[in-house]
């Protein structure tokens, strides 16, 4: 796409309409849109227009931060004009001019955010001893590396002298990070610099015009290129002069050597403590994948001896930070909750404070073209959390035929049968078609990757690779030599897949205004057919399980690499699969962070989103959906607490005690039995899992009848919700005591709610003394059932996909939109204040462009502003036909309790152990995907 096209629209600040784009293209081409001079057809004009939309119609929403300013001296605004932003300006030009980033989106998602992070650090010129600890959270593959490379450049410009980038625990990830630092900061290839070959070592930012910027680095991309004392000494690098950057693994030997080198010549001995101190050298440690290997897992000093043990690594990081007089630590992660659970008071005299993000937590905003968990797995609209409904893209494909090939829970000695399952064959066919179409589109991103993640065992991976290689070769031979007219031929299979699956998905995504700019129209089948053989001849199969030797060296393939990468755990953290289009994923993990990190398919897919597919099991789809929902609510809590000007400590306590924290943190904790403190303040708990036993249904209906009789009495209303204000807490507690919840209901179990309410009612707090109670009565019901208040219209609820089992039924949502605001009276001062919250969030940029200004409060705001003595109970009679039972049988009963915010600090115990997790998510390898 010519730069001239972009200049037609550059500088506009609002979303550019599709009509404006096409008008600009027509003006540029100086002709009618149907047939442009130079042979530009209408279809090509459409492609140009979509390319421009991809560049311009990228907006940035969300984000936010929590800060603790105690001991901090604001400095950036005062110094901004005097700092020469040489490193940053060079990086910005490189990302926009060479990497094709939209300037507006880059300035918002990287420029503005790195300014906020840098301002939260300390002024590197500030005298005396200081330290800052912070955390930056961003979705998997959403651009965290671009952000911390930007921060690194700005920190160098501001005066930080030593920067240590800790890049995971494996050579392949460290090598990939080193390459990004070479291209985005250093501007030269460190390996060639140290080789003395005389070859030009410039790369990335080093190829941009401008002054030669002096910077030191003694680490390289090779497997042997991690930090070495001998190399650093030979390079005669001393800290405190020109800035020095090191890219290292989280390995005990490496970090010990870094400590020796960094403190060896420059340290003094503090007479008060007898400890080493490095004065006058501002240190910045960037911890990538900070929830991995950096979290202390033991409490006794000296227990951990392993070179990769998290507790050993944790102690060495703290020792390095504690030794420098001026230090800043910034943790980057997509799964921040383990870091937030660090004890903020944990400290040791020999190594200093633990790595809790005491001073700031920043959530990276997500550009609108980011395809993350919500796009792939969807999100149910949740007005109580202020979350919009997002339909999952039609790109998920369920695997249910793999057990005979490679069973779940297999051992390292179990080699899979020779015949690949049909689902994996189809996934490979999909990759062939996707590569072909992508090449025909002439997209900027040349590389194309497929992920096959089915085992963690290297011997099994090797056998899978052999079988995949054989199938690709068989497919190539079949395409070249089989008769096209044969209904069983490979070409016929590919054609049918293209004309059904590809065409259908393309039509759906192009019709979606939020997704259309990331897609392109499909070429005709006869055009694709002629290109298949070239694609099949270019596909490589590569096992990736740890070392740089087997890592994917995309940078060495400027014309593009087409690869099927087969691996396990080493593919699940940080390693980027360039141009990833097709994922085949069987491996199960109960760890929230591992599940999300394994989602290598998250990221940016400009111009080829419609070509992407995820092949995985129904169970894994369910897990991802649940965790996506829980994480979205916790991030919404982050926004709310930001509005309340809370600190990281207060947020940490809130998340630890938030019921959704059970979802994302239970598996991060010890598998041994333990109690977790849970507070229900400012949350809403609802029934999502129902016991199907007849006696339980009857018991719960009796509880509904008793409450209806006590609170409402006989009703003369027809088809209207029954709502009563100023109900006593005793009536609510009687209902909950009479209700029987399924034992796997988690936050929907009555007993913890009862305990919490009873604690709040105690004289020292006297909260939750009065209640609003709503009994649902659907106005347009298909089924009715008699009750103490007359016939009730029953609600229908969609079952959670693939989540039905004997003895239980699961749904996505219980509460109907709008019901959550019933405690508020429209026009009251509380209503007005809650509405202001929603408007403030809207005006802060948290809503996408084009969204209407809110006219009603969100329930999250309502709960935070509702009086502490005011609880809210909602009860819904559910049509048994929703769950496949007879129409006239006893209805299911679901309830939701909405609690107001409170600073009472009260919590109740949840017993969390292996049984809890195994029943929430089936045990790893135990029938995953077979249900």
């Amino acid at each position: 796409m010519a730069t001239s096209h972009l200049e037609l629209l550059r500088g506009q600040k609002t979303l550019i309409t599709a009509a404006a784009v096409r008008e600009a293209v027509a003006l540029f081409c100086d002709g009618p849109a149907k047939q442009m001079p130079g042979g530009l057809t209408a279809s090509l004009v459409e492609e140009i227009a979509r390319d421009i939309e991809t560049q311009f119609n990228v907006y940035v929403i969300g984000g936010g931060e929590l800060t603790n300013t105690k001991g901090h001296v604001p400095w950036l605004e005062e110094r901004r004009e005097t700092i020469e932003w040489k490193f940053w300006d060079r990086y910005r030009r490189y990302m926009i001019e060479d990497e094709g980033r939209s300037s507006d989106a880059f300035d918002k998602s990287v420029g503005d955010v790195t300014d906020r992070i840098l301002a939260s650090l300390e002024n590197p010129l500030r005298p005396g001893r200081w330290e800052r600890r912070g955390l930056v959270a961003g979705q998997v593959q959403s651009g965290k590396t671009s952000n911390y490379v930007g921060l690194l450049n700005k920190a160098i410009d501001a005066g930080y002298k030593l920067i240590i980038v800790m890049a995971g625990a494996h050579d392949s990830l460290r090598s990939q990070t080193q390459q990004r630092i070479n291209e985005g900061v250093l501007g030269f290839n460190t390996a060639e610099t140290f080789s003395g070959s005389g070859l030009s070592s410039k790369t990335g930012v080093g190829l941009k015009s401008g002054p030669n910027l002096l910077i030191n680095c003694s680490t390289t991309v090779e497997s042997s290129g991690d930090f070495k004392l001998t190399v650093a000494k030979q390079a005669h690098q001393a800290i405190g002069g020109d800035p020095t950057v090191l890219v290292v693994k989280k390995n005990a030997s490496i970090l010990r050597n870094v400590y020796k080198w960094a403190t060896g010549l420059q340290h003094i001995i503090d007479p008060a403590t007898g400890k080493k101190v490095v004065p006058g050298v501002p240190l910045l440690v960037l911890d990538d994948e900070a929830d991995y290997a950096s979290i202390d897992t033991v409490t006794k000093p000296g227990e951990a001896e392993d070179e990769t043990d998290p507790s050993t690594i944790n102690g060495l990081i703290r020792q390095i930070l504690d030794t420098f007089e001026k230090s800043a630590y910034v943790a980057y992660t997509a799964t921040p909750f383990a870091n937030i659970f660090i004890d903020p008071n944990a400290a040791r005299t020999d190594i200093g404070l633990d790595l809790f993000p005491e001073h700031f937590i920043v959530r990276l905003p997500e550009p609108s073209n980011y395809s993350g968990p919500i796009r792939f797995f969807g999100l149910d609209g949740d007005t109580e959390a202020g979350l919009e409904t997002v339909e999952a893209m039609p790109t998920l494909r369920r695997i249910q035929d793999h057990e005979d090939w490679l069973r779940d829970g297999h051992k390292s000695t179990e080699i899979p049968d020779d015949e690949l399952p049909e689902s994996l064959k189809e996934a490979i066919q999909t990759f062939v078609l996707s590569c072909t179409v992508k090449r025909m589109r002439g997209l900027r991103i040349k590389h194309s990757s497929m992920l096959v993640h089915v085992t963690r065992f290297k011997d099994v991976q090797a056998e899978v690779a052999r079988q995949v290689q054989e199938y690709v070769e068989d497919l190539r031979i079949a395409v070249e030599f089989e008769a096209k007219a044969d209904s069983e031929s490979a070409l016929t299979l590919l054609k049918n897949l293209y004309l059904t699956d590809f065409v259908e998905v393309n039509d759906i995504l192009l019709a979606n205004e939020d997704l259309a700019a990331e897609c392109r129209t499909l070429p005709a089948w006869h055009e694709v057919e002629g290109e298949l053989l070239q694609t099949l001849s270019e596909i490589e199969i590569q096992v990736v399980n740890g070392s740089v030797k087997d890592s994917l060296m995309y940078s060495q393939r400027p014309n593009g690499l087409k690869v099927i990468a087969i691996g396990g755990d080493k593919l699940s953290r940080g390693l980027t699969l360039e141009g990833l289009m097709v994922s085949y994923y069987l491996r199960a993990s109960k760890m929230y962070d591992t599940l999300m990190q394994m989602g290598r398919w998250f990221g940016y897919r400009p111009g080829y989103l419609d070509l992407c597919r995820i092949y995985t099991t129904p169970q894994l789809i369910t897990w991802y959906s649940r965790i996506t929902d829980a994480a979205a609510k916790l991030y919404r809590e982050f926004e709310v607490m930001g509005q309340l000007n809370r600190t990281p400590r207060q947020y940490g306590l809130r998340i630890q005690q938030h019921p959704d924290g059970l979802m994302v943190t239970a598996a991060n904790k010890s598998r041994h039995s333990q109690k977790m403190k849970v507070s229900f303040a400012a949350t809403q708990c609802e029934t999502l899992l129902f016991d199907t036993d007849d006696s339980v249904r009857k018991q719960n209906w009796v509880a509904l009848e008793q409450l209806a009789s006590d609170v409402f009495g006989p009703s003369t209303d027809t088809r209207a919700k029954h709502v009563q204000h100023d109900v006593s807490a005793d009536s609510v507690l009687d209902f909950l005591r009479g209700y029987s919840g399924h034992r796997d209901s988690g936050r929907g179990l009555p007993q913890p709610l009862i305990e919490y309410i009873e604690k709040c009612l105690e004289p020292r707090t006297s909260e939750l003394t009065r209640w609003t109670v709503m009994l649902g009565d659907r106005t347009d019901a298909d089924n009715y059932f008699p009750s103490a208040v007359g016939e009730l219209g029953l609600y229908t609820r969609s079952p959670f996909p693939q989540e039905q089992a004997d003895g239980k039924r699961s749904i996505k949502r219980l509460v109907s939109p709008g019901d959550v605001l019933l405690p508020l009276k429209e026009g009251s001062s509380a209503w007005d204040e809650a509405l202001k919250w929603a408007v403030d969030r809207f005006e802060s940029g948290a809503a996408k462009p084009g969204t209407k200004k809110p006219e009603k409060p969100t329930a999250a705001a309502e709960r935070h502003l509702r009086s502490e003595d005011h609880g809210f109970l909602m009860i819904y009679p559910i049509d048994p036909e929703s769950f496949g039972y007879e129409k006239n049988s006893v209805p299911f009963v679901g309830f939701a309790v909405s609690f107001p915010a409170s600073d009472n600090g009260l919590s109740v115990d949840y017993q969390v152990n292996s049984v809890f997790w195994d029943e929430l998510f089936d045990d790893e390898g135990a029938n995953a995907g077979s249900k």
Side-chain angles (χ1 to χ4, degrees), residues 448-708:
S448 298
S449 303
M450 175 178 175
L451 164 67
V452 178
H453 188 168
V454 297
T455 179
R456 64 187 176 91
F457 301 116
K458 292 183 179 180
D459 289 346
V460 182
Q461 291 169 13
E463 177 60 21
V464 171
R466 184 192 67 78
Q467 294 181 21
V468 170
Q469 180 73 67
E470 285 186 359
Y471 181 73
V472 171
E473 180 61 16
D474 290 345
L475 197 59
R476 185 192 65 78
I477 294 171
V479 167
E480 185 172 7
F481 296 108
E482 284 181 349
K484 295 181 181 180
D486 186 349
S487 62
E488 301 293 323
S489 71
L491 267 176
T492 301
L493 289 175
L494 289 165
K495 178 180 179 180
N496 291 340
L497 184 61
Y498 187 77
L499 296 180
T500 54
D501 187 293
F502 276 68
V503 170
E504 179 181 354
V505 171
N506 184 260
D507 288 344
I508 293 172
L509 296 190
L510 285 179
N512 186 316
E513 63 179 14
D514 291 328
L515 304 174
E518 311 306 314
C519 308
R520 299 291 183 270
T521 54
L522 288 174
W525 166 249
H526 70 272
E527 296 175 294
V528 175
E529 182 181 358
E531 301 286 335
L532 291 173
L533 206 54
Q534 179 182 341
T535 299
L536 284 161
S537 67
E538 293 174 346
I539 290 176
E540 301 178 22
I541 316 300
Q542 191 166 341
V543 176
V544 181
N545 51 28
S547 69
V548 171
K549 292 179 181 178
D550 62 31
S551 68
L552 301 166
M553 303 300 285
Y554 293 101
S555 61
Q556 298 179 6
R557 305 292 284 276
N559 294 324
L561 174 65
K562 295 180 179 67
V563 63
I564 299 177
I566 297 166
D569 297 342
K570 304 306 184 293
L571 283 174
S572 66
R573 261 203 185 268
L575 193 66
T576 298
L577 297 171
E578 301 284 353
L580 179 61
M581 292 190 290
V582 179
S583 300
Y584 190 90
Y585 174 42
L586 296 178
R587 287 288 316 287
S589 170
K590 289 185 291 293
M591 305 290 278
Y592 155 76
D593 51 0
T594 304
L595 274 175
M596 282 304 180
Q597 292 289 353
M598 285 178 175
R600 296 290 97 194
W601 46 78
F602 303 135
Y604 301 91
R605 305 291 182 263
Y608 63 99
L609 183 61
D610 59 312
L611 306 180
C612 298
R613 301 290 185 274
I614 301 172
Y615 287 79
T616 192
T617 64
Q619 184 68 75
L620 278 168
I621 292 173
T622 296
W623 292 2
Y624 273 108
S625 299
R626 283 181 165 185
I627 289 174
T628 296
D629 180 74
K633 290 178 180 176
L634 291 179
Y635 279 128
R636 179 69 184 100
E637 189 77 14
F638 180 89
E639 291 183 24
V640 170
M641 295 199 73
Q643 286 181 294
L644 290 169
N645 297 315
R646 297 295 195 245
T647 67
R649 276 187 182 236
Q650 290 169 313
Y651 178 65
L653 179 62
R654 178 75 186 111
I655 295 306
Q656 290 179 44
Q657 294 189 346
H658 196 293
D660 278 318
L662 290 172
M663 177 72 74
V664 300
T665 59
N668 286 336
K669 291 183 160 289
S670 167
R671 294 296 308 279
H672 302 296
S673 178
Q674 61 178 291
K675 290 181 179 180
M676 292 181 66
K677 295 289 186 182
V678 175
S679 171
F680 294 103
T683 64
Q684 179 171 297
C685 298
E686 59 186 304
T687 312
L688 299 179
L689 189 64
F690 295 85
D691 195 318
T692 59
D693 184 88
D694 286 345
S695 63
V696 171
R697 278 193 287 154
K698 290 176 182 177
Q699 176 182 338
N700 291 341
W701 188 257
V702 169
L704 178 150
E705 290 265 50
Q706 184 63 50
L707 181 74

Side-chain angles (χ1 to χ4, degrees), residues 217-228:
C217 181
S218 58
T219 55
T220 71
V221 296
E222 285 80 9
S223 57
S224 59
D226 209 332
F227 182 84
K228 292 183 176 64

